[in-house]
Amino acid sequence: MLIDRERLLEEEAQRLAPYAQKARDTRGRQYPEPESPYRTPYQKDRDRILHTTAFRRLEYKTQVFPNWAGDYYRTRLTHTLEVVQVARSIARALGLNEDLTEAIALSHDLGHPPFGHTGEKVLNDLMQGHGGFEHNAHALRILTQLEVRYPGFTGLNLTYEVLEGIATHEAAYAPGFKPEYEGRGTLEAQVVDLSDAIAYAAHDLDDGLHSGLLRPEELSEVAPLRELAREEGLDLLRFDELSRRILVRQLLGFFITEAIGATHQEVEGAGVQSAEEVRRHPKRLAALTPGAEKTLQELKAFLKERFYRHPEVLRERRKAEMVLEGLFQAYTRYPETLPKEVQAKIPQVGLERAVCDYLAGMTDRYALEAYRKLFP
């Protein structure tokens, strides 16, 4: 039996919920091109994202710990894959388009510079007066301009809905996206946004405990974690590796289950019957239950105070600031030290943006090596 694109599209339309984004209803691509005979447009987008240079670089970009801190800790790549897993689980239960969800999740962090959110803040500060820097906006630039893989256009020529999913992702800084991406996005995009927050909090807790920077007994300060440990029969004073894995797994499962239930309730209450109605609804429909949202916010506050501000973590942040600031100042003062292909972009985008794009594309270790070459 041969299953071609038309059959995939037909089966998808019959299977998905009314409010899901169907691939047959895509707004299409900026540049017309033939679709794959055996893949839907969103499956094609997913495959294109996987083969980008930007995606491969995520393996050597910081989540919380830099890549060289140890083989166990999350990198930006493993975080991305975990977001994909959470988002697909939620999307499947809600009857959403899993292929679109996966494509958005795979690309949601492509625009992150080296050294995680510290790198993003440093570049945004350095680019004040030159358009700023925000990782979602930069991800769009990667996918529409900076990745050059096809002779007829720059970027990957992805479908509107995947790019929209990045544009509507929660931003740390005002990104200034184009007006055509205004709105709350598809429910698939909203689920990815929520899944990012869930995966970030649960897995940063895991890394913090594994590193020893967070002590198990400290978890008793967070009432929901204390209660979850009690329910699972875990003693926070005798907390071993298996205990940690059980706690994090159950916490993640709790968030996913609550997200499915709350989002379904929001969708039913809103009465939306199409992806367009989801976009135009007054509020986001992907949500957690009040109890789960309270747990997430308490966990985030705990991580911010006890983990992200730990002296060991802050020391790496200061190193990142020093490296990126030094590289930016050196390259903007002496642009002749930039690679020729970067110098060639200066007349089109300006010196500061060309340098910023170059720095944002670096991995942690490449940035450190570049710094050592300039400042031996």
Side-chain angles (χ1 to χ4, degrees):
M1 179 175 66
L2 196 60
I3 301 178
D4 61 9
R5 183 180 75 254
E6 291 305 318
R7 182 164 179 173
L8 288 172
L9 294 173
E10 180 182 349
E11 291 177 350
E12 181 187 270
Q14 294 175 355
R15 173 173 47 84
L16 298 184
Y19 46 79
Q21 175 65 53
K22 283 77 171 178
R24 70 179 184 183
D25 298 329
T26 177
R27 298 187 188 182
R29 308 177 188 279
Q30 181 179 0
Y31 304 99
E33 60 172 296
E35 289 295 336
S36 169
Y38 302 110
R39 294 176 296 172
T40 69
Y42 301 145
Q43 290 171 348
K44 183 176 181 177
D45 285 356
R46 173 201 60 204
D47 297 345
R48 286 188 168 184
I49 293 163
L50 281 170
H51 288 89
T52 59
T53 302
F55 185 79
R56 292 194 297 275
R57 286 174 177 164
L58 294 177
E59 181 178 2
Y60 300 104
K61 291 193 175 186
T62 294
Q63 179 64 13
V64 175
F65 292 107
N67 176 263
W68 58 82
D71 293 340
Y72 174 85
Y73 304 115
R74 269 90 181 170
T75 65
R76 193 60 60 172
L77 177 62
T78 55
H79 164 71
T80 295
L81 296 177
E82 288 167 340
V83 172
V84 170
Q85 180 270 315
V86 173
R88 289 198 65 152
S89 295
I90 297 172
R92 186 181 303 116
L94 294 171
L96 300 179
N97 194 315
E98 289 184 56
D99 295 324
L100 174 59
T101 303
E102 182 177 17
I104 296 171
L106 285 171
S107 56
H108 86 280
D109 266 357
L110 290 181
H112 258 295
F115 310 119
H117 287 287
T118 298
E120 180 177 21
K121 182 182 184 304
V122 170
L123 288 183
N124 184 57
D125 290 344
L126 292 169
M127 289 295 289
Q128 291 303 304
H130 306 287
F133 179 86
E134 199 277 328
H135 80 272
N136 297 303
H138 190 65
L140 276 183
R141 294 192 71 238
I142 289 171
L143 295 174
T144 60
Q145 301 176 40
L146 301 180
E147 286 276 345
V148 181
R149 294 180 167 271
Y150 304 94
F153 48 80
T154 57
L156 304 185
N157 197 31
L158 301 180
T159 57
Y160 172 92
E161 292 76 26
V162 174
L163 298 176
E164 175 193 40
I166 300 169
T168 55
H169 193 67
E170 184 180 1
Y173 310 101
F177 288 127
K178 295 180 181 179
E180 62 261 31
Y181 296 120
E182 288 182 352
R184 302 193 180 279
T186 60
L187 195 53
E188 288 83 356
Q190 295 180 32
V191 163
V192 171
D193 213 1
L194 181 59
S195 300
D196 186 28
I198 291 172
Y200 209 113
H203 293 136
D204 283 2
L205 175 66
D206 191 23
D207 280 358
L209 288 169
H210 181 76
S211 69
L213 301 187
L214 289 178
R215 300 190 309 276
E217 57 268 26
E218 292 180 285
L219 302 186
S220 62
E221 300 172 17
V222 185
L225 294 182
R226 185 174 65 244
E227 181 61 23
L228 181 59
R230 187 192 65 78
E231 291 175 359
E232 296 300 320
L234 305 175
D235 186 347
L236 295 179
L237 297 179
R238 295 179 178 85
F239 204 74
D240 57 14
E241 186 172 343
L242 181 59
S243 299
R244 187 191 79 245
R245 291 177 176 176
I246 292 172
L247 180 69
V248 173
R249 181 175 66 248
Q250 294 302 109
L251 178 65
L252 192 61
F254 164 73
F255 281 135
I256 292 173
T257 301
E258 296 297 286
I260 291 169
T263 303
H264 180 256
Q265 187 174 6
E266 290 287 341
V267 168
E268 291 291 303
V272 290
Q273 292 297 311
S274 69
E276 189 59 35
E277 289 182 22
V278 173
R279 286 186 178 95
R280 302 306 169 193
H281 194 70
K283 68 173 185 176
R284 287 199 164 206
L285 298 174
L288 291 168
T289 59
E293 180 63 34
K294 184 173 183 293
T295 297
L296 181 62
Q297 294 308 318
E298 288 184 25
L299 176 55
K300 284 184 173 181
F302 172 77
L303 290 171
K304 182 177 181 180
E305 181 64 29
R306 296 302 183 91
F307 186 32
Y308 305 145
R309 291 178 177 171
H310 191 283
E312 293 286 337
V313 175
L314 291 177
R315 184 178 63 190
E316 294 300 327
R317 287 186 179 180
R318 299 299 170 255
K319 185 189 298 183
E321 292 171 359
M322 179 181 68
V323 168
L324 287 178
E325 288 172 359
L327 289 175
F328 187 87
Q329 299 301 336
Y331 287 139
T332 51
R333 184 174 183 181
Y334 305 107
E336 67 274 10
T337 62
L338 288 164
K340 294 296 182 183
E341 61 271 19
V342 179
Q343 294 183 42
K345 296 178 181 179
I346 294 174
Q348 287 77 41
V349 300
L351 173 60
E352 289 78 11
R353 182 59 63 186
V355 171
C356 182
D357 286 348
Y358 181 47
L359 295 181
M362 292 181 175
T363 61
D364 296 357
R365 63 183 184 182
Y366 188 95
L368 284 172
E369 184 60 28
Y371 185 86
R372 290 190 189 103
K373 288 178 179 179
L374 287 172
F375 306 101

